[in-house]
């Protein structure tokens, strides 16, 4: 089999997505997600201008060789743009290989280790009682794990809290929105949210919380300690993780489990965190960490240290990433949980998919490949619409981590 053509499709059904479609001389096609929120066209150009010309004529079955060719062969390694582009090729090639075999992708990885993937959605509210109600809505739908975020008194906009509608979507049209952050107000407030959630729903459901890189290590240690009575499934991204060693300080002070890695794009970003057992869950995902081929390497390293997977699954990762992630999740032995921030109906229409949700779990489906496609005719009706993630400042104007 040979790759005869490949193209990038940029579309905005509710939000922007970048998709790579690869075609072969045997009529089989595969698709991969290449979306990098707020930097979409950089990946589109990387693929169109620099990767696609190298793919034509290659054997699509040689996934590992193609991965190495694009990673080592470019000379310039790693980084979110490069690794998202490689991920898109890798995902599309796994899709083709599984279709050629007539098998769902998880079978190509070694078969199922579990029936379905435990998932968590996002609940948010302007205040504690609204968040408590939203959590209740998800529990009533059968979810067994829910991420809870809440508006903080004295801060106008809080990470993870919707501006009006109950759906949270951080990217906005035009230039980046500027938000104000106060660590002091946040640290005093968050434990009250989880105290109330446990009071109302008991200790049955899993609760998760995303700190979104806002704290220093010692502040994160204090937060983890203050949340211990409420037994969180995890606290996510408590502090920026460029300096992996810094997490030792957090770890020395708290047994609240830690999840990190949605912004990582290679095994080198998390090697020390994993080998020193400074985290409990690794959040790297198919689209931003080099595809299934590289994610599998990260998960295998993590398994040696009893670190489990908890892949990023926000709405800026397309249904193609979600589908591929679910095949990975039902296979990977050291699976923890999968984020599932439900896509808008219009997104689901453009990306028809085989995956389903039932009673707190998701199932990748049994169709050959990863089970997700793109309706190109419909996609063309939603042209690219530039949007940016917000930036964050402290109350005195200092630029901070959003
Ligand atoms: C999460 C993430 C997202 C990111 C978003 C950025 O845990 O789901 O933190 O909400 O902010 O994916 O593009
Ligand atoms: Mg996050």
């Amino acid at each position: 089999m040979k790759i005869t053509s490949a193209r990038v499709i940029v579309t905005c059904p509710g939000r922007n997505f970048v998709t790579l479609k690869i075609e072969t001389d045997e009529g089989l096609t595969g698709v991969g997600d290449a979306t990098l929120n707020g930097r979409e066209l950089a990946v589109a150009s990387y693929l169109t201008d620099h990767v696609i010309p190298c793919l034509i004529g290659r054997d699509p079955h040689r996934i590992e060789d193609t991965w190495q060719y694009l990673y080592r062969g470019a000379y310039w390694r790693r980084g979110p743009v490069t690794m998202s582009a490689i991920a898109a090729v890798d995902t599309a090639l796994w899709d083709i290989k599984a279709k050629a075999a007539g098998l769902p992708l998880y079978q190509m990885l070694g078969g199922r280790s579990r029936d379905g993937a435990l998932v968590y959605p996002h609940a948010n509210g302007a205040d504690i009682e609204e968040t408590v109600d939203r959590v209740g809505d998800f529990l009533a739908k059968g979810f067994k794990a829910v991420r809870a975020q809440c508006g903080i008194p004295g801060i106008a906009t809080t990470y993870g809290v919707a501006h009006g509608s109950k759906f949270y979507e951080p990217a906005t049209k035009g230039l980046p929105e500027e938000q104000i952050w106060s660590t002091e107000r946040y640290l005093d407030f968050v434990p009250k949210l989880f105290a109330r959630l446990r009071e109302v729903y008991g200790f049955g459901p899993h609760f998760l919380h995303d700190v979104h890189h806002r704290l220093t290590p010692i502040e994160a240690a204090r937060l983890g300690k203050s949340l211990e009575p409420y037994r969180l499934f995890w606290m996510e991204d408590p502090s920026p993780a460029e300096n992996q060693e810094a997490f030792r300080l957090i770890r020395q002070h708290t047994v609240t489990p830690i999840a990190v890695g949605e912004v990582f794009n290679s095994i080198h970003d998390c090697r020390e965190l994993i080998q020193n057992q400074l985290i409990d869950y690794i959040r790297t995902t198919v689209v931003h960490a080099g595809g299934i081929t590289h994610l599998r390497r990260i998960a295998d390293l993590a398994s040696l240290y009893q670190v489990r997977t908890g892949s990023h699954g926000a709405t800026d990762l397309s249904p193609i990433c979600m589908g591929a992630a679910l095949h990975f999740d039902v296979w990977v032995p050291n699976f923890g949980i999968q984020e599932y921030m439900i896509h808008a109906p219009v997104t689901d229409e453009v990306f028809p998919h085989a995956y389903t949700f039932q009673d707190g779990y998701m199932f990748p489906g049994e169709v050959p490949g990863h089970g997700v496609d793109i309706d190109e005719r419909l996609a063309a009706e939603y042209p690219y619409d530039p949007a940016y993630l917000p930036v964050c400042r402290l109350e005195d104007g200092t630029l901070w981590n959003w």
Side-chain angles (χ1 to χ4, degrees):
M1 201 175 358
K2 277 191 166 38
I3 296 173
T4 47
S5 69
R7 62 182 171 281
V8 173
I9 303 143
V10 183
T11 178
C12 187
R15 57 161 311 106
N16 292 309
F17 295 107
V18 179
T19 303
L20 175 71
K21 183 164 189 173
I22 295 181
E23 292 172 328
T24 64
D25 58 351
E26 293 187 12
L28 288 176
T29 62
V31 289
D33 182 21
T35 309
L36 186 60
N37 203 3
R39 296 291 185 272
E40 295 86 3
L41 299 186
V43 190
S45 160
Y46 193 103
L47 283 165
T48 304
D49 297 323
H50 305 294
V51 171
I52 288 175
C54 305
L55 294 178
I56 309 304
R58 295 181 74 87
D59 177 358
H61 278 305
R62 296 185 63 182
I63 298 177
E64 186 65 51
D65 183 66
T66 302
W67 197 96
Q68 300 293 339
Y69 183 87
L70 295 174
Y71 182 81
R72 293 170 195 260
Y75 185 63
W76 311 107
R77 297 183 184 194
R78 303 162 58 187
V81 175
T82 299
M83 297 303 276
S84 300
I86 294 177
V89 175
D90 189 78
T91 307
L93 294 185
W94 276 107
D95 193 23
I96 291 171
K97 189 185 275 295
K99 283 177 180 166
L103 292 170
L105 176 49
Y106 69 78
Q107 295 288 18
M108 310 300 292
L109 300 173
R112 281 193 291 119
S113 301
R114 59 193 57 76
D115 298 331
L118 178 71
V119 293
Y120 73 90
H122 291 194
N124 69 82
D127 56 30
I128 289 182
E129 290 316 313
E130 204 174 290
T131 303
V132 168
D133 288 350
R134 292 288 85 77
V135 167
D137 293 344
F138 282 117
L139 295 177
K141 287 182 182 143
F143 285 95
K144 300 184 180 342
V146 182
R147 183 185 101 158
Q149 308 290 137
C150 185
I152 296 159
I155 308 185
T157 44
T158 311
Y159 165 77
V161 179
H163 283 302
S165 92
K166 63 180 178 177
F167 295 106
Y168 172 68
E169 194 60 72
T172 51
K173 308 297 171 198
L175 292 175
E177 182 192 332
E178 299 229 347
Q179 299 181 348
I180 302 296
W181 175 251
S182 163
T183 293
E184 294 74 20
R185 293 177 204 270
Y186 171 80
L187 279 178
D188 287 340
F189 183 76
V190 182
K192 295 183 188 136
L193 168 65
F194 287 93
R196 181 77 182 127
L197 282 169
R198 286 302 183 205
E199 188 180 50
V200 175
Y201 300 115
F203 283 81
H206 294 300
F207 293 136
L208 302 85
H209 182 69
D210 191 348
V211 186
H212 222 258
H213 325 272
R214 298 294 165 86
L215 305 178
T216 64
I218 196 67
E219 290 163 351
R222 180 179 140 202
L223 178 67
K225 208 170 192 173
S226 64
L227 290 172
E228 279 172 13
Y230 316 115
R231 283 183 246 148
L232 265 59
F233 188 93
W234 75 35
M235 79 173 168
E236 176 185 335
D237 288 331
S239 193
E242 285 103 330
N243 176 8
Q244 299 177 44
E245 180 62 27
F247 274 62
R248 197 179 292 281
L249 186 67
I250 310 175
R251 207 53 158 177
Q252 279 164 351
H253 292 284
T254 180
V255 294
T256 294
I258 300 172
V260 170
E262 67 180 41
V263 300
F264 293 169
N265 48 71
S266 90
I267 197 166
H268 305 288
D269 298 325
C270 48
R271 189 172 54 76
E272 291 166 53
L273 285 171
I274 291 171
Q275 288 179 332
N276 296 318
Q277 293 176 288
L278 301 178
I279 57 172
D280 301 278
Y281 296 92
I282 180 68
R283 283 191 36 81
T284 41
T285 190
V286 174
V287 55
H288 298 137
I292 286 175
T293 297
H294 195 63
L295 201 60
R296 192 162 62 170
R297 255 164 220 139
I298 296 174
D300 282 343
L301 174 70
S303 76
L304 302 181
Y305 300 92
Q306 299 193 41
V307 173
R308 293 190 282 164
T309 66
S311 286
H312 188 200
T315 40
D316 49 284
L317 286 62
S318 92
I320 296 173
C321 177
M322 190 69 206
L326 289 169
H327 284 270
F328 185 84
D329 293 340
V330 296
W331 159 72
V332 68
N334 49 325
F335 174 75
I337 200 166
Q338 166 69 50
E339 182 179 17
Y340 172 46
M341 189 182 164
I342 302 155
H343 285 110
V346 62
T347 302
D348 284 337
E349 275 172 44
V350 169
F351 295 96
H353 52 259
Y355 59 77
T356 52
F357 168 84
Q358 201 187 351
D359 291 335
Y361 295 89
M362 283 183 79
F363 305 87
E366 295 299 318
V367 304
H370 57 48
V372 190
D373 209 343
I374 181 165
D375 180 334
E376 290 189 70
R377 191 198 47 78
L378 198 54
E381 290 178 21
Y382 302 100
Y384 177 64
D385 193 0
Y388 278 104
L389 289 170
V391 296
C392 189
R393 291 185 188 276
L394 300 181
E395 286 165 302
D396 70 356
T398 307
L399 199 91
W400 198 242
N401 321 307
W402 175 71

